[in-house]
């Protein structure tokens, strides 16, 4: 008692600066001692957090797919060989049909001429036979007449029969020449027909070559147009995908901000509720332990230092929550001489 009186007596003669320095030193020492308390409170916080349901991260890929759904056109231009083959395939049917018409028409005309030649050969043979028969009848008639007259051996009859033979041969040769000339003419028509057929085929080939060149040029132009269209479309897809990616990032950021605001609002509402009605359940038990642990520590300090040390602490308000004001009031009352130690 005398010692305490003496300390208080000496304190009266200390300057304000000395008192301030001593209090600051004492609070600093208390802050060092508080480190062990902070570690214990941190452990309690971890224990409480481990009982909370694990917060799952939203499936942003499901909510905001990274794939826009736009697909590029996979267009590979055709090679020169492929274009030429396609052009030939397009024109082949018409070309073959025209070629067949030319050959068919030529074959039909050839068959007509061939048939006419065959008929001429038959007619020639028939004419030769008719001439031979006619002159034979004339000779027979002359011989019969001579026999009746009894002059069958005369030179006149003999000469007449020779004349019939000469006339028959002349008529036969004339008939042969006539029909041979007709056949020669017909064979000439065959040669002309073949030349006409070949010319028609050559003209058709020239026409086909021109149409093939034109068709190849048309297909090449189509290929270039399709390649340009595909390139422009794919460029547009790239542009839209880039816009989509930027919008997706913005949407995700907005979504996260909304979630954070909702969490913040829920936390504020919970804080207001707990400030008015207090903690409950496991949280109440945990924070009560924190409070009792902190109270036990600060009661080890002198009353005039404990309150200042609590106010100077950068950790107690966080770890004690609503119990911070309770502890602060207890230490303030203690400092002022009012003893309240109940939790």
């Amino acid at each position: 008692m005398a010692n305490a009186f003496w300390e208080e007596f000496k304190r009266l003669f200390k300057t304000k600066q000395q008192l301030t320095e001593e209090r600051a030193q004492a609070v600093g020492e208390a802050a060092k001692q508080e480190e062990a308390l902070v570690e214990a409170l941190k452990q309690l916080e971890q224990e409480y957090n481990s009982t909370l349901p694990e917060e799952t991260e939203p499936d942003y890929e499901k909510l905001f797919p990274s794939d826009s759904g736009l697909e590029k056109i996979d267009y590979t231009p055709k090679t020169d060989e492929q274009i030429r083959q396609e052009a030939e395939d397009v024109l082949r049917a018409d070309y073959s049909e025209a070629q067949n018409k030319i050959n068919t028409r030529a074959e039909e005309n050839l068959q007509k001429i061939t048939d006419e030649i065959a008929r001429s050969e038959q007619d020639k043979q028939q004419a030769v036979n008719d001439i031979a028969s006619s002159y034979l009848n004339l000779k027979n008639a002359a011989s019969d007449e001579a026999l009746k007259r009894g002059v069958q051996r005369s030179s006149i009859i003999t000469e007449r029969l020779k004349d019939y033979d000469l006339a028959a041969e002349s008529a036969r040769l004339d008939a042969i020449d006539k029909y041979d000339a007709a056949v020669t003419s017909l064979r000439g028509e065959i040669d002309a027909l073949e030349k006409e057929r070949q010319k028609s085929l050559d003209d058709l080939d020239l026409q086909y070559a021109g149409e093939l060149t034109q068709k190849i040029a048309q297909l090449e132009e189509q290929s270039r147009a399709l390649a340009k269209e595909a390139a422009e479309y794919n460029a547009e897809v790239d542009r839209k995908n880039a816009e989509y990616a930027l919008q997706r990032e913005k949407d995700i950021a907005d979504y996260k901000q909304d979630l954070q605001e909702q969490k913040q609002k829920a936390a504020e509402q919970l804080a207001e509720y707990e400030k008015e009605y207090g903690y409950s359940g496991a949280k109440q038990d945990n924070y009560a332990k924190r409070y009792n642990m902190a109270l036990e520590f600060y009661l080890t300090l002198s009353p005039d230092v404990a309150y200042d040390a609590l106010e100077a602490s950068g950790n107690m308000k966080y770890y004690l929550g609503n119990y911070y004001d309770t502890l602060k009031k207890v230490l303030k009352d203690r400092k002022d001489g009012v003893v309240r130690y109940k939790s």
Side-chain angles (χ1 to χ4, degrees):
M1 184 68 175
N3 189 47
F5 173 80
W6 178 246
E7 290 297 326
E8 182 65 22
F9 179 77
K10 288 193 296 181
R11 182 175 177 277
L12 294 174
F13 290 94
K14 291 181 179 179
T15 64
K16 184 176 182 181
Q17 181 177 357
Q18 287 176 324
L19 292 174
T20 301
E21 290 175 354
E22 287 179 358
R23 185 177 298 278
Q25 184 178 1
V27 171
E29 290 295 329
K32 292 180 180 179
Q33 297 174 26
E34 183 190 275
E35 293 177 0
L37 172 62
V38 171
E39 288 299 319
L41 293 175
K42 186 183 297 185
Q43 182 64 34
L44 284 173
E45 181 186 41
Q46 292 174 353
E47 290 178 5
Y48 172 68
N49 289 339
S50 66
T51 65
L52 299 176
E54 185 177 354
E55 185 175 349
T56 58
E57 185 75 6
D59 187 350
Y60 291 110
E61 181 61 31
K62 184 176 182 180
L63 294 171
F64 307 97
S66 56
D67 187 358
S68 68
L70 296 174
E71 295 184 2
K72 290 185 176 181
I73 297 176
D74 186 12
Y75 177 75
T76 303
K78 296 177 182 177
T79 63
D80 293 343
E81 292 77 9
Q82 289 173 325
I83 289 177
R84 182 178 185 83
Q85 185 62 51
E86 182 178 351
E88 290 176 351
D89 292 342
V90 170
L91 298 177
R92 182 178 293 111
D94 290 342
Y95 172 74
S96 298
E97 182 180 357
Q99 194 178 50
N100 290 336
K101 284 182 179 180
I102 291 173
N103 289 326
T104 299
R105 183 170 61 250
E107 289 171 1
E108 290 174 350
N109 291 333
L110 176 62
Q111 186 62 48
K112 291 178 181 179
I113 296 173
T114 302
D115 292 343
E116 192 171 349
I117 289 174
R119 286 193 298 271
S120 294
E121 291 291 343
Q122 292 176 356
D123 292 345
K124 180 179 74 172
Q125 188 61 45
Q126 183 64 45
V128 169
N129 292 338
D130 290 344
I131 290 171
S133 176
S134 295
Y135 278 96
L136 180 60
N137 291 333
L138 290 173
K139 286 176 66 178
N140 289 335
S143 295
D144 291 343
E145 180 66 24
L147 183 61
K148 290 179 181 180
R149 294 171 59 189
V151 293
Q152 67 271 22
R153 294 185 180 274
S154 68
S155 59
I156 295 175
I157 293 303
T158 302
E159 289 298 323
R160 182 180 293 179
L161 293 176
K162 287 183 180 179
D163 288 341
Y164 280 145
D165 288 338
L166 290 174
E169 180 62 17
S170 177
R172 187 183 73 83
L173 291 176
D174 286 344
I176 289 174
D177 288 343
K178 174 185 175 183
Y179 283 103
D180 285 350
V183 169
T184 299
S185 176
L186 290 172
R187 294 191 185 280
E189 290 183 18
I190 291 177
D191 292 339
L193 179 63
E194 176 59 25
K195 289 180 181 178
E196 181 183 357
R197 184 185 74 86
Q198 190 58 52
K199 183 178 182 303
S200 297
L201 291 175
D202 291 342
D203 290 343
L204 178 63
D205 287 342
L206 288 175
Q207 178 183 350
Y208 172 78
E211 291 177 353
L212 181 62
T213 300
Q214 183 178 1
K215 192 64 178 179
I216 289 174
Q218 179 183 357
L219 292 176
E220 288 176 341
E221 178 61 27
Q222 289 178 356
S223 180
R224 286 191 293 271
L226 289 173
K228 180 181 179 183
E229 181 181 347
E232 291 175 349
Y233 178 82
N234 290 339
E236 182 67 9
V237 169
D238 287 335
R239 185 187 67 79
K240 289 183 177 179
N241 279 337
E243 291 180 352
Y244 178 83
L246 290 175
Q247 185 62 44
R248 178 177 181 268
E249 291 181 2
K250 182 179 181 302
D251 291 342
I252 291 176
D254 292 343
Y255 184 80
K256 288 182 177 179
Q257 183 176 352
D258 288 343
L259 282 181
Q260 186 61 35
E261 290 175 355
Q262 291 175 14
K263 290 179 183 178
Q264 181 66 27
K265 184 177 180 180
E268 290 174 354
Q269 291 175 346
L270 179 61
E272 291 178 2
Y273 177 85
E274 290 176 337
K275 187 173 183 180
E276 182 175 356
Y277 300 103
Y279 300 126
S280 61
K283 189 172 185 180
Q284 164 61 26
D285 294 341
N286 187 273
Y287 272 85
K289 290 179 181 179
R290 300 187 200 185
Y291 171 75
N292 289 331
M293 191 175 291
L295 176 62
E296 183 178 353
F297 167 74
Y298 283 104
L299 288 181
T300 63
L301 304 177
S302 62
D304 57 338
V305 173
Y307 180 81
D308 293 342
L310 178 63
E311 280 197 322
S313 174
N315 298 299
M316 291 302 108
K317 194 174 185 73
Y318 169 76
Y319 284 112
L320 297 180
N322 293 337
Y323 278 102
Y324 176 80
D325 291 337
T326 302
L327 180 59
K328 187 175 181 181
K329 186 175 188 317
V330 168
L331 297 181
K332 180 68 170 60
D333 290 346
R334 180 169 175 258
K335 180 180 180 181
D336 295 339
V338 179
V339 181
R340 293 181 183 177
Y341 302 139
K342 291 185 180 181
S343 61

